[in-house]
């Protein structure tokens, strides 16, 4: 389970030393169900400084300056959210502070922003966003950059070299005049970006998959009916729009050899297409989001404020997506967390798409996945921590419990039951739901940033950007 070369080297140099000389580690958690993507055992974890010192049985662990009795709760790698948007409506520095606090409450230890910049170069933007992020966030974070003009495509090798960002996003499904100001992609952009990203060691192209032209046509038809219900938005961008673009992107990925990451998959056929492509040797990762697994456009308590892009679907798609999660064809879970100003609820077609979900991603997956559908805890870690880390090239530093790696951990109480209450920015579509299984403690690089229902105020400004020049 923990047998990489890194861990054994580290064990040799550190753990025996600690064990035989009875030195104390900074933090030791015992009596836990220790879970990673590959399995679980009963014991705990010792942390020294920012790193995991040892993962093992209770007896194998050294004494700690601080000792925590997990009382049988689950100790897992912290949740890594590969997909959120901050600084879209509210100022970026405020979002990095307020939303990283919500992330800590949700058991996250790293989040990645899909972020856009319309200037010709991403280099100054990176330096600014990294500095402001590090001054405010209470946990580590990283970036994927949106391709918004041709210069960005030409700049890909330089961006990788000078910022460490090697992951780029292209957007379909947005018309030229969309309310969020996203510049939509062309197939030419995707092809050219893939050609360049394919040459990078961790290069990845992410795509928002929806056939823009068909969705634009259908939107006009649906608008003309006067409908304002949430289902009308869903029906204006049917499942086949998403399927068509997923197929087209897989074709281009196969052609260019560029690893492809399909963000926020809403349709049950998505994981199947991903698995078929992988069987041919194409590097395709399917991501879905908690909302597509837990809500539909026809849920009685939802209205136009639950507009999300791509849209919530129906029961059939929801259950087929779960099949993909349970059989391992979905390899990554992203929140698509985006705090917009309070939505007006006046016009379905003008409403901004997006919701917040940092605090509830883990409880939703524990309730609906682990408790209700028999998802194993290891499977959950595989998609909410290991998968995102691996697919973006950050494993095992992130997403593992290996000695010598970042001590990013979450302690989970599987039995705690609580109702969702939303107090922050953005729209929550889970208010009033009773969820079973909540994070009780979050540890970011060895520091406890959330415990007893409180986020550590001194943790803000301690987060680091994981994308660094030359990496
Ligand atoms: Zn998104």
């Amino acid at each position: 389970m923990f047998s990489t070369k890194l861990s054994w080297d580290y064990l040799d140099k550190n753990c025996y030393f600690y064990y035989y000389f009875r030195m104390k580690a900074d933090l030791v958690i015992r009596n836990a169900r220790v879970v990673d993507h590959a399995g679980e055992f009963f014991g705990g974890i010792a942390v020294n400084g920012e790193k995991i010192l040892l993962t093992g049985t209770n007896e194998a662990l050294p004494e700690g300056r601080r000792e925590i009795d997990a009382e049988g709760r689950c100790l897992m790698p912290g949740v890594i959210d590969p997909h959120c948007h901050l600084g879209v409506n509210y100022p970026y520095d405020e979002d990095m502070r307020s939303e990283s606090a919500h992330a800590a409450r949700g058991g996250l230890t790293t989040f990645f922003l899909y972020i856009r910049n319309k200037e010709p170069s991403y280099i100054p933007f990176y330096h600014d966003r990294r500095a402001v992020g590090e001054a405010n966030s209470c946990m580590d974070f990283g970036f994927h950059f949106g391709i918004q003009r041709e210069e960005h495509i030409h700049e890909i090798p330089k961006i990788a070299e000078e910022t460490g960002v090697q992951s780029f996003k292209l957007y379909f499904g947005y018309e030229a005049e969309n309310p969020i100001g996203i510049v939509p992609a062309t197939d030419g952009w995707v092809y050219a970006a893939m050609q360049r990203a394919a040459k990078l060691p961790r290069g990845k192209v992410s795509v928002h998959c929806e056939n823009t032209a068909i969705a634009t046509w259908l939107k006009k038809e649906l608008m003309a009916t006067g409908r304002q219900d949430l289902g009308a938005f869903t029906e204006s961008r049917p499942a086949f729009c998403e399927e068509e673009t997923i197929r087209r992107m897989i074709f281009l990925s196969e052609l260019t050899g560029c690893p492809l990451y399909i963000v926020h998959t809403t349709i049950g056929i998505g994981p199947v297409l991903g698995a078929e492509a992988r069987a041919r040797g194409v590097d395709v990762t399917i991501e879905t989001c908690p909302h597509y697994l837990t809500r539909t456009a026809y849920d009685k308590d939802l209205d136009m404020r639950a507009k999300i892009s791509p849209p919530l679907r129906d029961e059939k798609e929801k259950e087929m997506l779960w099949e993909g999660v349970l059989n391992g064809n979905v390899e990554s879970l992203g929140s698509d967390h985006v705090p917009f100003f309070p939505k007006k609820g006046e016009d379905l077609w003008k409403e901004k798409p997006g919701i917040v979900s940092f605090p509830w991603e883990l409880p939703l997956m524990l309730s609906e996945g682990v408790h209700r559908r028999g998802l194993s805890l290891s499977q959950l870690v595989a998609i909410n921590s290991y998968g995102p880390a691996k697919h973006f090239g950050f494993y095992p530093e992130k997403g593992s419990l290996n000695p010598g790696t970042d001590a990013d951990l979450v302690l989970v109480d599987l039995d705690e039951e609580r109702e969702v209450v939303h107090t922050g920015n953005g729209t929550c579509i889970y208010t009033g739901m009773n969820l079973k299984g909540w994070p009780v403690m979050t540890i970011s690089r060895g520091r406890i940033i959330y415990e007893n229902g409180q986020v550590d105020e001194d943790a803000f400004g301690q987060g680091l950007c994981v994308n660094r020049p030359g990496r």
Side-chain angles (χ1 to χ4, degrees), residues 305-350:
R305 287 167 299 179
K307 178 174 165 181
I308 306 170
S309 173
L312 294 175
R313 300 282 176 199
D314 56 21
E315 280 298 326
K316 181 179 140 270
E317 299 293 350
K318 188 180 91 173
E319 290 309 318
M320 211 173 148
L321 270 182
W322 269 114
E323 262 176 55
V325 169
L326 290 162
N327 67 21
N329 288 338
V330 172
E331 294 183 297
S332 186
L333 191 72
S335 71
D336 209 355
H337 178 102
V338 52
F340 279 123
F341 295 145
K343 293 195 189 183
K344 296 202 180 83
E346 287 168 356
D347 182 353
L348 174 72
W349 306 102
K350 289 192 181 135

Side-chain angles (χ1 to χ4, degrees), residues 6 180 183 306 373 383 442:
L6 172 68
I180 313 178
V183 181
R373 291 179 177 81
I383 60 168
T442 309

Side-chain angles (χ1 to χ4, degrees), residues 80-105:
I80 299 173
D81 187 348
H83 187 160
C84 69
H85 306 272
L86 303 179
V88 178
N89 250 188
Y90 295 96
Y92 173 70
D93 57 343
E94 284 177 28
D95 264 5
M96 287 302 272
R97 197 162 273 257
S98 65
E99 304 314 301
S100 72
H102 288 302
R105 290 185 189 97

Side-chain angles (χ1 to χ4, degrees), residues 387-398:
K390 186 181 110 183
H391 290 296
F392 290 107
F394 294 93
Y395 185 85
E397 287 83 0
K398 298 288 185 194

Side-chain angles (χ1 to χ4, degrees), residues 17-25 48 53 62-65:
F17 188 73
Y18 273 80
Y19 192 73
Y20 288 113
F21 293 94
R22 301 204 164 274
M23 289 177 72
K24 284 190 174 179
N48 219 27
L53 175 69
E63 276 181 53
R65 266 180 275 281

Side-chain angles (χ1 to χ4, degrees), residues 19 52 60 69 72 105 191 241 246 249 266 335 354 356 362 407 457:
Y19 192 73
I52 293 175
D69 182 354
R105 290 185 189 97
Y191 174 73
C241 279
I246 291 176
M249 293 305 111
T266 74
S335 71
V356 287
L362 189 49
E457 284 297 322

Side-chain angles (χ1 to χ4, degrees), residues 19-95:
Y19 192 73
Y20 288 113
F21 293 94
R22 301 204 164 274
M23 289 177 72
K24 284 190 174 179
D26 289 333
L27 172 67
V28 175
I29 305 172
R30 289 176 213 273
N31 294 322
R33 261 179 91 178
V34 182
V35 182
D36 78 353
H37 70 282
E40 65 175 274
F41 68 94
F42 194 79
I45 293 181
V47 173
N48 219 27
E50 300 186 345
K51 304 290 181 186
I52 293 175
L53 175 69
L54 182 62
T55 305
T57 60
N58 287 332
E59 299 73 39
L61 299 171
E63 276 181 53
R65 266 180 275 281
R66 177 160 180 202
E67 291 263 351
I68 292 169
D69 182 354
E71 297 173 335
R73 294 188 187 94
C74 298
L75 186 58
M76 313 193 284
V79 175
I80 299 173
D81 187 348
H83 187 160
C84 69
H85 306 272
L86 303 179
V88 178
N89 250 188
Y90 295 96
Y92 173 70
D93 57 343
E94 284 177 28
D95 264 5

